[in-house]
Amino acid sequence: MTALSSLVWLVPLLPLMAAAATGLHILFYEKQGDDAEKIIGTIVSAASAAAFLLLAGLGLLSLVQGAPGEVVAGRWLQAGDYRIGITFLLDGYSLGLAVLVAFIAFLSIRFSINYLHRESGFRRFFMLLSLFNCAMLLIVLAGNAPLMFIGWELAGLSSYLLIAYAQTRRTATENANRAFVTNRIGDAAFLLGIYFSFSWLGGADWQHMAQATVTDVHDDLIAGSFLIAALAKSAQIPFAGWIALALEGPTPSSAVFYGSLMVHAGVFLLIRLENMILHAPLLMMFLTAIGLTTAVYGWLSALVQTDVKSSFMFSTTAQTGLMFMACGLGWFEAVKWYLPLHMAWRAWQFLHAPSLMHQIQGRQRLAPQWLRNNAWLYNAALRRFWLDPLADASLLRPTQALARDLCNFDDKVVNRLVGLPHERPLPGSATPGSSVGHGQGVAGRFMEVLARGLQWFEEHLILRGGGESLIAGIQRLGKYMQQVEILLGQPRYLILLIAATFVVIL
């Protein structure tokens, strides 16, 4: 291992540090303007450029000395027989793809500096874009499934927040929730695949998984779990509906997320699982059918779009569907070549979209005549084959209902047990009646007595002893915590906490 390859851990860390620095700038410097934009643009661009140059140096060195292979940067977790290392797999393919990812991210950042000039969310956008850059580099370079899952989750989180970039627009926030909820199914399947890998293979390192031999059933379960994660992340049928809704975000984020980088993460995951998929014929048949169906869906939907971004997006969906179909047919070598070429092409198309819109202004784009003559097929393509209402009925509304049930459980059960009022008060409003609620049951009565005792102690000893400032501070803290509790009761924050919990556990 060369000295340069031992520094590979800096590649995802540099954009992560840029995201942290941007976040600190948002917290401690309220002033916005050209000076702030210049500082943020310099920090983010420098971090992205440094990551690219480091990867480019590793790539050039590998042409002379060969690819470094697996690089161990440290140990993440060890519990009994379970060991998870901070490892990076620098084989020839992942190293070359990482160079391309870093270059596209750098170009998108430089493009965004002028594109979002004097936008109110300028700093927030670049913080999230840097976080996404870190996530994609982790996905491509990770030497094991748990480390890739960290990048997988960070990409999903930054995607969710950038879809809802225009926070005052209801459509943007609703589409962000739809995309986030849909991708959680894939994330759960990814975790299940990690669990199966540790249980039946003894580890989740990509090289170990490629060489390990298990029964056909275990092989199908492991590869099938990761396959569901890949289908959701790359927006394949039946998860294809969310990616068209994700175009609510700014054009630069659409370019790197859904045009060139994140949408291909599922294909890259399949490439990592090549040996396992080749030993699962039933899974290959399923993968071929899903890829073909998605390709036809994306092709027909793209023909009826009237805006540039949607047309590009459905075209991208069709092409990724072809890649999934090729993996199902066993043509992994062809996919390995096609993936980076398609990434570069889509990045150029999406970044060129604003200029193209000016060039074709006033021109009307019509669907082909044969499609317009088929009324049913044309209507189905216009309605995107009804995938959006299907996703709402099967994913979004059940999640919202679960969040409401949890709030009701908190109000009607938990609050009664601890002696709090049964109805959830609004932030800053006073609780009607007594300052101590009436509890029910043994636990509730006990908490009521304890609360009254603490109230007596507060009023007779602390307040009369000159502790007014302490009481005021406690009251302010209580109001803040009350507001935090109400916020956390909302579905979007609940889902974020669940995703954050997955990351912390791993």
Side-chain angles (χ1 to χ4, degrees), residues 7-30:
L7 298 176
V8 67
W9 55 272
L10 281 173
V11 171
L13 183 62
L14 286 169
L16 182 62
M17 292 172 63
T22 306
L24 292 175
H25 195 276
I26 295 173
L27 287 176
F28 295 107
Y29 297 93
E30 297 182 0

mmCIF file of all heavy atoms in Angstrom, residues 7-30:
data_model
loop_
_atom_site.group_PDB
_atom_site.id
_atom_site.type_symbol
_atom_site.label_atom_id
_atom_site.label_comp_id
_atom_site.label_asym_id
_atom_site.label_seq_id
_atom_site.Cartn_x
_atom_site.Cartn_y
_atom_site.Cartn_z
ATOM 1 N N LEU A 7 -4.154 7.586 2.380
ATOM 2 C CA LEU A 7 -4.886 8.825 2.657
ATOM 3 C C LEU A 7 -6.269 8.823 2.027
ATOM 4 O O LEU A 7 -6.928 9.874 1.986
ATOM 5 C CB LEU A 7 -4.093 10.028 2.142
ATOM 6 C CG LEU A 7 -2.717 10.273 2.760
ATOM 7 C CD1 LEU A 7 -2.032 11.446 2.068
ATOM 8 C CD2 LEU A 7 -2.850 10.549 4.256
ATOM 9 N N VAL A 8 -6.749 7.674 1.542
ATOM 10 C CA VAL A 8 -8.022 7.634 0.854
ATOM 11 C C VAL A 8 -9.171 8.029 1.772
ATOM 12 O O VAL A 8 -10.211 8.514 1.322
ATOM 13 C CB VAL A 8 -8.249 6.226 0.258
ATOM 14 C CG1 VAL A 8 -8.429 5.183 1.366
ATOM 15 C CG2 VAL A 8 -9.439 6.230 -0.691
ATOM 16 N N TRP A 9 -9.022 7.843 3.089
ATOM 17 C CA TRP A 9 -10.079 8.221 4.022
ATOM 18 C C TRP A 9 -10.361 9.721 3.977
ATOM 19 O O TRP A 9 -11.442 10.180 4.368
ATOM 20 C CB TRP A 9 -9.698 7.808 5.443
ATOM 21 C CG TRP A 9 -8.374 8.347 5.910
ATOM 22 C CD1 TRP A 9 -7.148 7.765 5.733
ATOM 23 C CD2 TRP A 9 -8.141 9.575 6.606
ATOM 24 N NE1 TRP A 9 -6.155 8.550 6.269
ATOM 25 C CE2 TRP A 9 -6.738 9.663 6.824
ATOM 26 C CE3 TRP A 9 -8.953 10.592 7.070
ATOM 27 C CZ2 TRP A 9 -6.165 10.747 7.482
ATOM 28 C CZ3 TRP A 9 -8.386 11.670 7.730
ATOM 29 C CH2 TRP A 9 -7.009 11.742 7.933
ATOM 30 N N LEU A 10 -9.391 10.504 3.477
ATOM 31 C CA LEU A 10 -9.605 11.944 3.357
ATOM 32 C C LEU A 10 -10.602 12.294 2.247
ATOM 33 O O LEU A 10 -11.199 13.381 2.271
ATOM 34 C CB LEU A 10 -8.282 12.651 3.066
ATOM 35 C CG LEU A 10 -7.332 12.893 4.240
ATOM 36 C CD1 LEU A 10 -6.019 13.450 3.739
ATOM 37 C CD2 LEU A 10 -7.975 13.839 5.246
ATOM 38 N N VAL A 11 -10.778 11.402 1.297
ATOM 39 C CA VAL A 11 -11.629 11.705 0.139
ATOM 40 C C VAL A 11 -13.066 12.001 0.565
ATOM 41 O O VAL A 11 -13.609 13.053 0.223
ATOM 42 C CB VAL A 11 -11.556 10.567 -0.893
ATOM 43 C CG1 VAL A 11 -12.594 10.775 -1.991
ATOM 44 C CG2 VAL A 11 -10.159 10.477 -1.485
ATOM 45 N N PRO A 12 -13.747 11.115 1.319
ATOM 46 C CA PRO A 12 -15.096 11.492 1.769
ATOM 47 C C PRO A 12 -15.087 12.483 2.921
ATOM 48 O O PRO A 12 -16.069 13.206 3.132
ATOM 49 C CB PRO A 12 -15.710 10.149 2.206
ATOM 50 C CG PRO A 12 -14.538 9.306 2.571
ATOM 51 C CD PRO A 12 -13.418 9.726 1.674
ATOM 52 N N LEU A 13 -13.981 12.535 3.668
ATOM 53 C CA LEU A 13 -13.931 13.434 4.822
ATOM 54 C C LEU A 13 -13.868 14.900 4.402
ATOM 55 O O LEU A 13 -14.452 15.768 5.072
ATOM 56 C CB LEU A 13 -12.719 13.095 5.697
ATOM 57 C CG LEU A 13 -12.573 13.896 6.993
ATOM 58 C CD1 LEU A 13 -13.766 13.662 7.906
ATOM 59 C CD2 LEU A 13 -11.269 13.527 7.709
ATOM 60 N N LEU A 14 -13.192 15.208 3.318
ATOM 61 C CA LEU A 14 -13.050 16.609 2.887
ATOM 62 C C LEU A 14 -14.400 17.272 2.592
ATOM 63 O O LEU A 14 -14.688 18.355 3.121
ATOM 64 C CB LEU A 14 -12.125 16.685 1.675
ATOM 65 C CG LEU A 14 -10.631 16.470 1.977
ATOM 66 C CD1 LEU A 14 -9.851 16.301 0.683
ATOM 67 C CD2 LEU A 14 -10.072 17.640 2.772
ATOM 68 N N PRO A 15 -15.265 16.685 1.769
ATOM 69 C CA PRO A 15 -16.580 17.316 1.581
ATOM 70 C C PRO A 15 -17.427 17.315 2.842
ATOM 71 O O PRO A 15 -18.242 18.226 3.050
ATOM 72 C CB PRO A 15 -17.228 16.487 0.462
ATOM 73 C CG PRO A 15 -16.454 15.229 0.399
ATOM 74 C CD PRO A 15 -15.067 15.544 0.861
ATOM 75 N N LEU A 16 -17.247 16.310 3.706
ATOM 76 C CA LEU A 16 -17.976 16.308 4.973
ATOM 77 C C LEU A 16 -17.557 17.483 5.841
ATOM 78 O O LEU A 16 -18.394 18.147 6.480
ATOM 79 C CB LEU A 16 -17.746 14.987 5.708
ATOM 80 C CG LEU A 16 -18.491 14.813 7.042
ATOM 81 C CD1 LEU A 16 -19.996 14.845 6.819
ATOM 82 C CD2 LEU A 16 -18.073 13.516 7.716
ATOM 83 N N MET A 17 -16.258 17.766 5.876
ATOM 84 C CA MET A 17 -15.773 18.922 6.627
ATOM 85 C C MET A 17 -16.277 20.221 6.012
ATOM 86 O O MET A 17 -16.592 21.181 6.733
ATOM 87 C CB MET A 17 -14.237 18.908 6.659
ATOM 88 C CG MET A 17 -13.642 17.769 7.481
ATOM 89 S SD MET A 17 -11.841 17.650 7.310
ATOM 90 C CE MET A 17 -11.338 19.231 7.988
ATOM 91 N N ALA A 18 -16.380 20.276 4.690
ATOM 92 C CA ALA A 18 -16.928 21.475 4.039
ATOM 93 C C ALA A 18 -18.390 21.667 4.423
ATOM 94 O O ALA A 18 -18.839 22.804 4.651
ATOM 95 C CB ALA A 18 -16.779 21.351 2.524
ATOM 96 N N ALA A 19 -19.145 20.568 4.502
ATOM 97 C CA ALA A 19 -20.548 20.666 4.929
ATOM 98 C C ALA A 19 -20.643 21.165 6.362
ATOM 99 O O ALA A 19 -21.499 22.001 6.691
ATOM 100 C CB ALA A 19 -21.228 19.306 4.786
ATOM 101 N N ALA A 20 -19.750 20.650 7.236
ATOM 102 C CA ALA A 20 -19.758 21.091 8.632
ATOM 103 C C ALA A 20 -19.386 22.570 8.744
ATOM 104 O O ALA A 20 -19.999 23.327 9.511
ATOM 105 C CB ALA A 20 -18.789 20.237 9.451
ATOM 106 N N ALA A 21 -18.383 23.001 7.970
ATOM 107 C CA ALA A 21 -17.979 24.410 8.011
ATOM 108 C C ALA A 21 -19.104 25.318 7.514
ATOM 109 O O ALA A 21 -19.348 26.392 8.083
ATOM 110 C CB ALA A 21 -16.729 24.610 7.160
ATOM 111 N N THR A 22 -19.817 24.880 6.493
ATOM 112 C CA THR A 22 -20.947 25.660 5.989
ATOM 113 C C THR A 22 -22.059 25.734 7.022
ATOM 114 O O THR A 22 -22.688 26.776 7.217
ATOM 115 C CB THR A 22 -21.483 25.049 4.685
ATOM 116 O OG1 THR A 22 -20.403 24.909 3.752
ATOM 117 C CG2 THR A 22 -22.556 25.918 4.077
ATOM 118 N N GLY A 23 -22.311 24.619 7.706
ATOM 119 C CA GLY A 23 -23.314 24.622 8.765
ATOM 120 C C GLY A 23 -22.965 25.568 9.889
ATOM 121 O O GLY A 23 -23.830 26.289 10.418
ATOM 122 N N LEU A 24 -21.693 25.599 10.286
ATOM 123 C CA LEU A 24 -21.254 26.532 11.336
ATOM 124 C C LEU A 24 -21.403 27.980 10.869
ATOM 125 O O LEU A 24 -21.755 28.869 11.667
ATOM 126 C CB LEU A 24 -19.805 26.238 11.714
ATOM 127 C CG LEU A 24 -19.559 24.907 12.439
ATOM 128 C CD1 LEU A 24 -18.069 24.684 12.640
ATOM 129 C CD2 LEU A 24 -20.273 24.892 13.792
ATOM 130 N N HIS A 25 -21.136 28.211 9.603
ATOM 131 C CA HIS A 25 -21.296 29.566 9.066
ATOM 132 C C HIS A 25 -22.770 30.002 9.129
ATOM 133 O O HIS A 25 -23.072 31.158 9.443
ATOM 134 C CB HIS A 25 -20.794 29.610 7.621
ATOM 135 C CG HIS A 25 -20.589 30.991 7.091
ATOM 136 N ND1 HIS A 25 -21.625 31.742 6.563
ATOM 137 C CD2 HIS A 25 -19.479 31.777 7.010
ATOM 138 C CE1 HIS A 25 -21.167 32.910 6.173
ATOM 139 N NE2 HIS A 25 -19.864 32.970 6.429
ATOM 140 N N ILE A 26 -23.672 29.075 8.853
ATOM 141 C CA ILE A 26 -25.102 29.391 8.938
ATOM 142 C C ILE A 26 -25.511 29.690 10.374
ATOM 143 O O ILE A 26 -26.305 30.605 10.637
ATOM 144 C CB ILE A 26 -25.933 28.225 8.364
ATOM 145 C CG1 ILE A 26 -25.651 28.055 6.864
ATOM 146 C CG2 ILE A 26 -27.417 28.447 8.597
ATOM 147 C CD1 ILE A 26 -26.302 26.836 6.254
ATOM 148 N N LEU A 27 -24.955 28.942 11.323
ATOM 149 C CA LEU A 27 -25.335 29.109 12.730
ATOM 150 C C LEU A 27 -24.821 30.412 13.327
ATOM 151 O O LEU A 27 -25.546 31.092 14.076
ATOM 152 C CB LEU A 27 -24.809 27.925 13.551
ATOM 153 C CG LEU A 27 -25.530 26.591 13.366
ATOM 154 C CD1 LEU A 27 -24.833 25.503 14.166
ATOM 155 C CD2 LEU A 27 -26.993 26.693 13.809
ATOM 156 N N PHE A 28 -23.597 30.784 13.008
ATOM 157 C CA PHE A 28 -22.952 31.881 13.724
ATOM 158 C C PHE A 28 -22.863 33.187 12.921
ATOM 159 O O PHE A 28 -22.500 34.216 13.480
ATOM 160 C CB PHE A 28 -21.549 31.465 14.164
ATOM 161 C CG PHE A 28 -21.564 30.347 15.168
ATOM 162 C CD1 PHE A 28 -21.190 29.062 14.809
ATOM 163 C CD2 PHE A 28 -21.954 30.571 16.481
ATOM 164 C CE1 PHE A 28 -21.203 28.026 15.726
ATOM 165 C CE2 PHE A 28 -21.966 29.547 17.404
ATOM 166 C CZ PHE A 28 -21.596 28.267 17.029
ATOM 167 N N TYR A 29 -23.185 33.121 11.625
ATOM 168 C CA TYR A 29 -23.132 34.340 10.816
ATOM 169 C C TYR A 29 -24.467 34.490 10.096
ATOM 170 O O TYR A 29 -24.719 33.808 9.106
ATOM 171 C CB TYR A 29 -21.977 34.286 9.806
ATOM 172 C CG TYR A 29 -20.619 34.223 10.451
ATOM 173 C CD1 TYR A 29 -20.000 33.002 10.694
ATOM 174 C CD2 TYR A 29 -19.952 35.394 10.833
ATOM 175 C CE1 TYR A 29 -18.754 32.940 11.298
ATOM 176 C CE2 TYR A 29 -18.709 35.337 11.431
ATOM 177 C CZ TYR A 29 -18.121 34.114 11.660
ATOM 178 O OH TYR A 29 -16.892 34.048 12.264
ATOM 179 N N GLU A 30 -25.289 35.378 10.619
ATOM 180 C CA GLU A 30 -26.612 35.558 10.050
ATOM 181 C C GLU A 30 -26.590 36.348 8.756
ATOM 182 O O GLU A 30 -27.481 36.231 7.929
ATOM 183 C CB GLU A 30 -27.520 36.266 11.058
ATOM 184 C CG GLU A 30 -27.754 35.460 12.335
ATOM 185 C CD GLU A 30 -28.697 36.167 13.274
ATOM 186 O OE1 GLU A 30 -29.154 37.274 12.924
ATOM 187 O OE2 GLU A 30 -28.981 35.612 14.353
#
